């Protein structure tokens, strides 16, 4: 099998040289996440450029936490000791045109990888709403896009390289490692640092998206499956202030003839007459092109363009996954909280995700619907709302997004993740001393 390298990893760095140049000490500068709601608990951060530098840093520190593009809204990537950023591990390693796979360093962003793949004639099956996020960070938290037939971003992974607590390199393959592979991919940062990922590809494709406004909420009762299946990727946006879904974004492939033209009405919704932002008050300048204008997959699947600050920016986010066959009842439960929720909310998004086999994925073995909340940055108010929302969603065994804000107890999480005990055994195997453990993992995984 021949491989055509694009950008090769350097293998010349030594362990000794890795101990000093890759580390920045910033005692007077606070490191924050993307939204600014999290100030990390240390200012000691390493920026390795090679796998060898990652190995050396891990070997020489008792406690380390991997850090991606800082888009998590909770402390899953926090550390009181040392952070290791994958920011400079951002290269394409090889494109295998026979196996139809690409191998990349873990810190590469989807917005950097996607144009390269498109130029070479390839595509990934799905993208998240933001292209600004890294491959490794996205898969380890089960980040997703939308589509009844589309799994989360981790479902494209067929191979993975991990540096564990002893500094050793471990490789995992979907083909060879079976259940261990399913335990490792969505690893919550608990198993080590992901330095390399191999993704399955498909031929590149063109897409268009149409947006419809004011979909009557009652239509979900009778036509939910038809609505969310109306395109390759469908998103419903609502602020829970009325009996309508504010906007329906339908993203379709050009070979889907059912969506070649805008419809005069869509289950009672009307077509938008201009590009829209999910938050109606904001300019659509940052959003990907709408109005049926064709474009490559990576410029239509995300909601936001790579070159712009996405969404609102100063915000908080929460998200809960419920079984798809119970989605309408779950939506109705949240709608009843509309008056409590809406004053503190920018917008909610409702999306579908296909089931997968990853132990710690919120979509593990069940077709899911995700109820997403983009909050105004008022944690005291949001922290009081989340337990109320979680109580309403309890009958549906809602699972939270690992990178977003929730208040569910470790006991509740243990009851909803049936493979949690196996996952903890896997973590003990690769990190017996808890080098990658932090307060978040101790609270959510290990206090049950």
């Amino acid at each position: 099998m021949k491989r055509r390298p694009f950008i090769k990893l350097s293998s010349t760095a030594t362990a000794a040289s890795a101990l000093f140049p890759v580390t920045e000490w910033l005692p007077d500068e606070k490191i924050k996440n993307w939204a600014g709601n999290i100030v990390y608990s240390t200012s000691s951060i390493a920026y390795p450029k090679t796998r060898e530098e990652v190995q050396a840093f891990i070997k020489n520190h008792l406690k380390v936490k991997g850090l991606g593009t800082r888009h998590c809204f909770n402390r899953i990537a926090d550390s009181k000791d040392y952070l290791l950023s994958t920011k400079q591990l951002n290269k394409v390693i090889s494109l295998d045109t026979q196996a139809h796979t690409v191998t990349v360093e873990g810190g590469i962003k989807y917005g950097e990888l996607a144009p390269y793949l498109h130029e070479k004639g390839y595509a990934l099956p799905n993208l998240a709403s933001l292209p600004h996020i890294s491959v490794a960070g996205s898969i380890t938290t089960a980040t997703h896009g939308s589509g009844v037939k589309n799994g989360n971003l981790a479902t494209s992974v067929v191979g993975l390289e991990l540096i564990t607590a002893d500094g050793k390199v471990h490789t995992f393959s979907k083909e060879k490692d079976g259940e261990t592979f399913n335990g490792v991919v969505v690893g919550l940062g608990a198993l080590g640092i992901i330095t390399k990922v191999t993704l399955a590809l498909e031929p590149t494709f063109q897409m268009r998206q149409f947006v419809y406004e004011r979909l009557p909420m009652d239509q979900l009762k009778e036509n939910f499956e038809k609505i969310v299946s109306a395109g390759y990727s469908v998103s419903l946006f609502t602020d829970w202030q009325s009996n309508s879904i504010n906007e329906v974004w339908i993203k379709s492939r050009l070979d889907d003839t059912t969506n070649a033209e805008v419809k005069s009405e869509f289950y009672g919704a009307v077509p938008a007459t201009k590009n829209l932002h999910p938050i109606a008050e904001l300019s659509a300048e940052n959003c990907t092109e709408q109005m049926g204008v064709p474009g490559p997959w990576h410029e239509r699947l995300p909601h936001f363009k790579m070159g712009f600050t996405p969404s609102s920016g100063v915000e908080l986010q929460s998200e809960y996954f419920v079984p798809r066959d119970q989605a309408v009842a779950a939506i109705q439960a949240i709608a009843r909280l509309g008056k409590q929720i809406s004053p503190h909310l920018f917008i909610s998004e409702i999306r579908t995700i296909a089931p997968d086999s990853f132990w710690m994925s919120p979509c593990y073995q069940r077709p899911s619907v995700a109820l997403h909340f983009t909050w105004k940055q008022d944690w005291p108010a949001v922290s009081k709302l989340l337990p109320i929302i979680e109580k309403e969603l309890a009958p549906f065994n809602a699972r939270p997004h690992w990178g977003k804000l929730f208040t569910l107890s470790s006991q509740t999480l243990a009851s909803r993740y049936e493979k949690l005990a196996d996952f903890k055994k896997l973590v003990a195997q690769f990190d017996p001393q808890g080098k990658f453990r932090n307060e978040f993992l101790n609270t959510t995984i290990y206090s049950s």
Side-chain angles (χ1 to χ4, degrees), residues 23-249:
T23 306
E24 293 186 7
W25 306 96
L26 305 170
D28 298 322
E29 182 179 339
K30 300 294 185 181
I31 305 171
K32 297 182 180 181
N33 68 338
W34 169 76
N37 70 301
I38 295 292
V39 178
Y40 294 101
S41 302
T42 181
S43 294
S44 300
I45 183 168
Y47 293 92
K49 296 180 180 179
T50 67
R51 179 177 67 184
E52 291 76 15
E53 289 179 352
V54 174
Q55 291 178 271
F57 192 86
I58 290 174
K59 284 182 185 178
N60 285 278
H61 293 85
L62 293 176
K63 299 285 285 186
V64 181
K65 201 65 197 169
L67 189 65
T69 46
R70 308 182 191 180
H71 196 262
C72 290
F73 291 80
N74 57 32
R75 294 193 177 274
I76 190 171
D78 194 20
S79 173
K80 295 179 180 178
D81 301 284
Y82 296 95
L83 295 169
L84 188 153
S85 171
T86 58
K87 182 178 182 180
Q88 297 192 62
L89 295 167
N90 61 356
K91 300 173 185 64
V92 175
I93 298 171
S94 63
L95 178 68
D96 189 328
T97 57
Q98 292 186 9
H100 305 294
T101 61
V102 66
T103 300
V104 298
E105 291 182 316
I108 194 169
K109 298 176 184 178
Y110 283 96
E112 298 166 340
L113 173 61
Y116 165 76
L117 293 177
H118 175 64
E119 180 185 343
K120 300 297 182 181
Y122 290 99
L124 294 167
N126 209 3
L127 293 172
S129 59
L130 307 178
H132 308 66
I133 51 181
S134 70
V135 170
S138 299
I139 65 175
T140 204
T141 55
T143 296
H144 62 95
S146 187
V148 295
K149 297 180 180 179
N150 298 324
N152 64 40
L153 303 187
T155 57
S156 292
V157 179
V158 294
L160 184 145
E161 178 183 274
L162 189 74
I163 310 299
T164 51
D166 55 6
K168 293 182 178 179
V169 179
H170 295 263
T171 58
F172 301 92
S173 162
K174 181 178 181 179
E175 182 181 359
K176 297 178 181 179
D177 293 301
E179 279 299 284
T180 300
F181 181 82
N182 289 332
V184 167
V185 175
V186 180
L188 312 184
L191 293 154
I193 303 297
I194 298 173
T195 47
K196 189 187 298 183
V197 181
T198 300
L199 302 167
L201 304 175
E202 60 183 74
T204 192
F205 54 92
Q206 296 281 310
M207 300 191 75
R208 58 166 62 91
Q209 60 180 333
F210 292 112
V211 175
Y212 296 87
E213 298 184 83
R214 300 183 297 280
L215 174 77
M217 194 77 76
D218 287 345
Q219 287 287 345
L220 299 183
K221 296 177 185 178
E222 299 296 328
N223 297 301
F224 181 77
E225 282 297 319
K226 293 178 181 178
I227 290 168
V228 297
S229 303
Y232 185 85
S233 171
V234 176
S235 292
L236 313 180
F237 292 97
T238 181
D239 56 12
W240 309 105
Q241 291 188 37
S242 69
N243 293 322
S244 295
I245 297 292
N246 300 29
E247 300 174 14
V248 181
W249 289 37

Side-chain angles (χ1 to χ4, degrees), residues 157-406:
V157 179
V158 294
L160 184 145
E161 178 183 274
L162 189 74
I163 310 299
T164 51
D166 55 6
K168 293 182 178 179
V169 179
H170 295 263
T171 58
F172 301 92
S173 162
K174 181 178 181 179
E175 182 181 359
K176 297 178 181 179
D177 293 301
E179 279 299 284
T180 300
F181 181 82
N182 289 332
V184 167
V185 175
V186 180
L188 312 184
L191 293 154
I193 303 297
I194 298 173
T195 47
K196 189 187 298 183
V197 181
T198 300
L199 302 167
L201 304 175
E202 60 183 74
T204 192
F205 54 92
Q206 296 281 310
M207 300 191 75
R208 58 166 62 91
Q209 60 180 333
F210 292 112
V211 175
Y212 296 87
E213 298 184 83
R214 300 183 297 280
L215 174 77
M217 194 77 76
D218 287 345
Q219 287 287 345
L220 299 183
K221 296 177 185 178
E222 299 296 328
N223 297 301
F224 181 77
E225 282 297 319
K226 293 178 181 178
I227 290 168
V228 297
S229 303
Y232 185 85
S233 171
V234 176
S235 292
L236 313 180
F237 292 97
T238 181
D239 56 12
W240 309 105
Q241 291 188 37
S242 69
N243 293 322
S244 295
I245 297 292
N246 300 29
E247 300 174 14
V248 181
W249 289 37
I250 300 177
K251 303 169 188 279
S252 301
R253 295 173 57 127
L254 255 61
D255 54 15
D256 176 7
T257 57
T258 63
N259 284 302
E261 301 290 340
V262 67
K263 297 175 175 61
S264 59
E265 65 92 29
F266 178 78
Y267 295 97
V270 297
T273 57
K274 62 178 181 179
N275 284 357
L276 296 176
H277 191 287
I279 304 171
E281 295 79 14
L282 298 183
S283 168
E285 179 186 10
N286 299 357
C287 298
T288 50
E289 193 67 38
Q290 301 158 34
M291 307 301 293
V293 178
W297 58 278
H298 64 281
E299 294 180 1
R300 295 296 179 272
L301 281 170
H303 299 330
F304 302 100
K305 300 174 184 175
M306 180 62 181
F308 292 83
T309 299
S311 195
S312 170
V314 182
E315 63 191 50
L316 304 175
Q317 293 185 13
S318 301
E319 188 169 37
Y320 301 94
F321 298 72
V322 300
R324 199 167 102 201
D325 59 4
Q326 300 178 55
V328 173
I331 292 168
Q332 291 172 334
I334 299 301
R336 290 192 290 268
L337 300 175
K339 291 183 179 180
Q340 291 174 263
I341 291 174
S342 59
H344 307 286
L345 187 74
F346 282 121
I347 201 69
S348 274
E349 183 177 9
I350 301 168
R351 288 179 284 180
T352 57
I353 310 97
D356 59 63
S357 300
F358 303 124
W359 295 354
M360 298 306 293
S361 167
C363 303
Y364 176 71
Q365 293 190 347
R366 73 183 194 191
S368 298
V369 168
L371 307 178
H372 183 276
F373 303 86
T374 300
W375 303 104
K376 298 172 183 177
Q377 203 169 87
D378 182 356
W379 175 239
V382 173
S383 66
K384 294 176 183 177
L385 282 171
L386 294 185
I388 297 172
I389 290 172
E390 290 163 359
K391 182 180 179 181
E392 288 297 316
L393 294 179
F396 313 105
N397 290 314
R399 298 167 178 165
H401 190 303
W402 290 109
K404 300 183 180 180
L405 296 165
F406 59 90

